[in-house]
Amino acid sequence: MKFQNDLVFDILKNLAKRLINLQRAIANLLKIKYNELKIFQSLSVGVEMPQFKIGEVCGIDKAATSRILEKMEANGYINKIFKQGNKKTVYISLTEKGEHFNKIIQQSLVDLIPKFFNKLSEKDEHQFLKLIKKMLDKKI
């Protein structure tokens, strides 16, 4: 059983590396920093997010998150919002320009996936998604 667990772990580690390499390729293609790409992806859900949460989700320290967001704001990609009654927490959302750029990121992802992963049959893809969902249903 230990051998099989090691094999599963190695496969998941390889999958994670390929996903990171895919993200880096997209960042290079679009001439943005890798951490900027991660922030765009974290904001792609279409809701405002507190600045500190973006840093946590993306694994970026507070100072770097602030610098990246300042640059993204200067480029017109994000809005900083202060909620009434809460002057400490800054909420971030994508502007229309940011949403447009995010669509370019998503299309680049679709275009580059074949470079990093083989195409699965519809049946295999369904089984893969079912197994991954089952694996991730565990609450932590």
Side-chain angles (χ1 to χ4, degrees), residues 17-81:
K17 283 181 185 177
R18 286 187 191 204
L19 289 170
I20 289 168
N21 288 338
L22 173 60
Q23 287 178 312
R24 289 187 188 282
I26 291 168
N28 287 336
L29 177 72
L30 300 177
K31 297 179 179 24
I32 61 173
K33 301 284 186 199
Y34 175 63
N35 283 339
E36 286 178 84
L37 177 78
K38 291 192 320 185
I39 289 175
F40 269 109
Q41 290 179 316
S42 72
L43 291 170
S44 69
V45 294
V47 295
E48 298 168 354
M49 188 180 293
Q51 181 170 327
F52 75 88
K53 191 68 170 174
I54 292 171
E56 286 177 7
V57 167
C58 296
I60 307 169
D61 67 60
K62 289 180 183 180
T65 301
S66 291
R67 283 191 307 274
I68 294 166
L69 291 174
E70 283 176 22
K71 179 181 175 188
M72 291 175 74
E73 183 180 31
N75 289 330
Y77 292 127
I78 64 162
N79 288 315
K80 290 184 177 181
I81 305 150

